[in-house]
Amino acid sequence: SDRIIVENGATATLHLQGVEMLGSEAPISLDYNSNLTLVLDDYYRNNIKTIGELGSAAIETQSSSELVIRGTGELNATGSEGGAAIGASEMEGGHATIKIEDGVINAQGGADAAGVGGGVDSRYMSIEIFGGEIRAEGQTGIGDGTHSRDTRITITGGDIVANGGSGAGIGG
């Protein structure tokens, strides 16, 4: 399957312009201690999805990584069972940071995972939302997945709809 991996310690900027990615592993993955700015270019719809039961996030953040999402395009992200749409895969993602500055974002977490935030058994995520139109669904819309904890969430702007299955819309 096609994958984009930001390697350990690397910093990258990626412009999405009508991207369709589907994989059994995270189509976009930030390795340990890496940084990615994901730019959603104007007028483009981008679809990133994992399939199967591997517990993979669609856009995966691993320990000490930072993901920044900005731009005015659209991002539709879907995680597989145990993996967030945007955030941690199952038992991954400690001390990762997700910053959403802008964009139209639809995030559907896999079973037991958040739309934006933690997968199953993830720890110490930081989620900062400054703007954008965000629709997030999963075990928790924005926050922790099952058995996850210690996610810090700061929201200072944006139009947000967050729905949790058996968890909170926003939180844990």
Side-chain angles (χ1 to χ4, degrees), residues 108-115 137-141 144-146 163-169 172:
Q108 177 65 57
D112 297 322
E137 294 186 7
Q139 165 76 18
T140 301
D144 291 323
T146 300
N163 295 308
S166 59

Side-chain angles (χ1 to χ4, degrees), residues 96-143:
T97 300
I98 300 166
K99 295 180 179 181
I100 300 175
E101 297 178 355
D102 205 359
V104 177
I105 298 169
N106 299 297
Q108 177 65 57
D112 297 322
V116 177
V120 174
D121 286 322
S122 62
R123 305 278 190 268
Y124 309 109
M125 300 286 294
S126 176
I127 302 165
E128 301 172 29
I129 300 174
F130 304 99
E133 293 180 34
I134 301 162
R135 307 290 178 262
E137 294 186 7
Q139 165 76 18
T140 301
I142 299 171

Side-chain angles (χ1 to χ4, degrees), residues 53-121:
E53 297 181 21
L54 296 176
S56 291
I59 301 173
E60 175 184 61
T61 56
Q62 295 187 31
S63 291
S64 301
S65 64
E66 180 177 281
L67 171 66
V68 176
I69 300 174
R70 66 172 56 126
T72 57
E74 182 176 334
L75 172 64
N76 301 304
T78 305
S80 66
E81 183 175 341
I86 301 169
S89 290
E90 188 170 352
M91 298 188 298
E92 293 282 348
H95 297 92
T97 300
I98 300 166
K99 295 180 179 181
I100 300 175
E101 297 178 355
D102 205 359
V104 177
I105 298 169
N106 299 297
Q108 177 65 57
D112 297 322
V116 177
V120 174
D121 286 322

